[in-house]
Amino acid sequence: MAVLISVGSVESRADECALKMFSELDLLDNPAGTPVVAVTFNGRPAKMTLDTGAYWSGVVPSAAAGLKTQSLRYLGIGAVGAGGGVMRTAVMGASLQVGRLNFAKADFFIFSRDNKADPDLIGNIGANILKRYDIEIDYPGRKVRIFSQEHCPGKVVSWPVEALARIPFKLNEVGHISLPVTLDGHEYRALLDTGATASYLDKKTADGDFGLTAETANAMGTSDTLDGKDLPTFYHRFGLLDLGGLQFNRPQLAFSIGQEEAGGWGQERMPPLTLGMHQLRGLHFYIAYGEKMIYASVAGQRPPLDPIDRQEIQQLAEGARKQIAAKDYGAATASFTEAIRIGPKEAWLYAARCTSKILSDQFDAAQQDCDQALTLNAKEIRALLDRAYLSLRRGQFDLAEQDCNAVLAEDPQSPVALNYLSQLSQARAAKLKAKG
């Protein structure tokens, strides 16, 4: 049987399926770990967060200064921020440029306070804009791409991938994405929130499903939200979080207290779980708003540390210091090992573990940690001093002297380095005398 195929129709079909990219943007460094890109706001260069968890875009008060604003209180309209504060004033008709995309008359809620940690980060781009497009976020690769929704279903993944998760989601009337997840065997829907550093579980669910009442009662308040109110949080490590077959082992989640009051849900209850960038940053994912589907794979590169990582590392290191003070060197080494698992490129952690191994007479293992610390940071003082000690006790005087001199180049008055050099001088003199 002969089959006739129209070459023109095949090419036309291929064109229909081809992705149409509007903009490719670099992800900028951001201590919070959220996706931040360069924009032009009313003619001025600035930075904004791509925030799928915000149903409307917003800017800080300083960015709104001098622009046309309007109170929305009389209309009963407002936006509830992460801390529960309500914003009821908006900038009307501002201009925004994101790569090659231009929005001539865009409206933005005005936050209650500026971003003190990064004054150039003036706000977020919320779902009112994002839901018009498809968004690809490659956090480890430091890229964001914005596409047209006009493409063939499923024909969106352009990056090399071995295992791809396809996760259907619900999109409510204002553009919030909720998707199915499983946390330690409990099935929930989760809000996809690229504007949040942490992933959150609300207090009612934490208490009822996991019996964490005592922990949530001791929640700690933070003051880093821009809506004028603190967000009470407490972190807890769970066993397993599953997102469409992508598994996060021992995920650390924060409890959100009262976050179910957030706006944009109408008569719906906000999902009990919010999936933030602490988990998402390890993925390369494509949000197909038109299809209501997320395509995601585990990224090859390890993402940079975020504030949650750094907080946990500091807690582990502080615990290790207490264990050393109690002469429980094995436990201290284990604590530093767990911290290194979280931050494998942190030189000071290898230096600290080197010290704990020296104290437990694991000299060869200590040498490896000192060498690794100095590979990562050639000026890591603690590693230089400990390696000088190890060289000194082995009789490797030239190596010990090199490390001591490297310390003194950074700190000419280092008492430890000067003491080692004094010991070194005495040891050399004794060795010459013995030969004589």
Side-chain angles (χ1 to χ4, degrees):
M1 179 187 297
V3 179
L4 299 178
I5 300 175
S6 169
V7 175
S9 66
V10 171
E11 291 177 347
S12 175
R13 181 64 175 167
D15 289 341
E16 290 175 6
C17 288
L19 289 174
K20 302 176 182 66
M21 185 169 66
F22 292 128
S23 287
E24 181 178 64
L25 305 161
D26 291 329
L27 280 176
L28 305 179
D29 290 338
N30 173 30
T34 52
V36 170
V37 297
V39 302
T40 302
F41 182 77
N42 253 44
R44 296 181 180 180
K47 299 187 293 186
M48 298 185 85
T49 303
L50 300 180
D51 189 352
T52 61
Y55 86 90
W56 206 268
S57 305
V59 294
V60 298
S62 60
L67 302 180
K68 179 184 177 182
T69 63
Q70 180 176 339
S71 173
L72 305 177
R73 185 178 298 275
Y74 72 98
L75 296 174
I77 298 174
V80 181
V86 181
M87 295 159 282
R88 298 191 185 278
T89 306
V91 170
M92 311 301 291
S95 67
L96 175 68
Q97 181 176 347
V98 185
R100 295 197 302 270
L101 289 172
N102 288 285
F103 306 92
K105 294 182 179 180
D107 301 334
F108 297 83
F109 279 108
I110 302 175
F111 295 126
S112 296
R113 54 190 173 198
D114 283 353
N115 189 342
K116 294 181 180 179
D118 186 353
D120 293 330
L121 183 56
I122 66 162
N124 60 10
I125 301 171
N128 64 308
I129 292 176
L130 298 178
K131 68 181 180 181
R132 308 176 199 174
Y133 306 96
D134 282 0
I135 310 296
E136 178 187 339
I137 298 180
D138 178 9
Y139 192 86
R142 314 304 293 157
K143 291 290 184 181
V144 167
R145 299 175 184 92
I146 303 175
F147 295 93
S148 165
Q149 294 179 5
E150 296 179 0
H151 55 73
C152 294
K155 304 296 184 180
V156 300
V157 177
S158 59
W159 66 90
V161 58
E162 293 182 2
L164 181 70
R166 295 171 174 84
I167 308 159
F169 63 79
K170 294 180 180 179
L171 190 69
N172 74 358
E173 60 184 8
V174 296
H176 278 144
I177 293 172
S178 67
L179 61 168
V181 298
T182 303
L183 179 64
D184 287 355
H186 296 268
E187 295 182 356
Y188 303 111
R189 296 204 69 81
L191 167 68
L192 184 77
D193 190 354
T194 58
T197 299
S199 293
Y200 289 91
L201 189 66
D202 71 50
K203 182 179 186 299
K204 182 178 180 180
T205 304
D207 292 350
D209 291 353
F210 297 97
L212 300 175
T213 307
E215 292 194 15
T216 56
N218 294 320
M220 298 177 292
T222 63
S223 56
D224 57 354
T225 64
L226 299 179
D227 58 22
K229 292 195 176 183
D230 293 344
L231 178 62
T233 57
F234 188 93
Y235 290 96
H236 178 81
R237 191 171 290 286
F238 292 85
L240 181 70
L241 175 66
D242 186 282
L243 171 64
L246 299 173
Q247 295 188 336
F248 304 90
N249 292 306
R250 301 182 66 242
Q252 187 164 243
L253 272 65
F255 305 127
S256 61
I257 298 176
Q259 199 177 23
E260 56 267 40
E261 302 300 325
W265 290 92
Q267 297 302 313
E268 298 179 71
R269 182 181 183 274
M270 182 176 174
L273 197 147
T274 297
L275 192 60
M277 288 303 297
H278 186 62
Q279 273 71 45
L280 297 173
R281 70 204 168 115
L283 304 179
H284 189 156
F285 60 101
Y286 185 107
I287 305 172
Y289 274 98
E291 289 183 56
K292 297 184 176 63
M293 186 74 72
I294 290 175
Y295 300 87
S297 65
V298 176
Q301 308 101 306
R302 188 181 184 93
L305 299 181
D306 69 6
I308 299 171
D309 291 326
R310 296 193 180 280
Q311 180 185 37
E312 187 171 12
I313 286 172
Q314 290 296 336
Q315 288 174 344
L316 287 164
E318 182 59 31
R321 294 184 189 102
K322 292 178 180 178
Q323 289 159 343
I324 287 175
K327 298 185 178 180
D328 191 351
Y329 304 129
T333 297
S335 294
F336 284 127
T337 298
E338 175 62 14
I340 288 170
R341 184 191 66 80
I342 299 168
K345 294 184 179 181
E346 297 294 294
W348 68 274
L349 289 174
Y350 292 95
R353 191 172 68 175
C354 174
T355 300
S356 70
K357 288 179 177 179
I358 288 173
L359 292 171
S360 55
D361 296 336
Q362 300 178 57
F363 300 118
D364 290 342
Q367 178 79 38
Q368 293 176 3
D369 274 347
C370 280
D371 289 343
Q372 180 61 28
L374 292 167
T375 297
L376 293 169
N377 178 9
K379 296 182 179 181
E380 181 60 50
I381 299 297
R382 186 173 185 174
L384 287 166
L385 289 172
D386 279 350
R387 194 168 69 174
Y389 166 79
L390 292 168
S391 297
L392 186 59
R393 73 181 305 278
R394 290 188 180 119
Q396 298 171 320
F397 299 146
D398 290 346
L399 292 177
E401 185 175 26
Q402 288 176 16
D403 284 340
C404 286
N405 286 335
V407 172
L408 293 172
E410 300 298 318
D411 179 9
Q413 303 302 319
S414 170
V416 178
L418 292 171
N419 180 50
Y420 285 167
L421 286 177
S422 176
Q423 292 181 41
L424 178 60
S425 178
Q426 294 173 22
R428 279 174 169 162
K431 188 175 182 179
L432 287 173
K433 184 176 181 181
K435 285 183 178 180

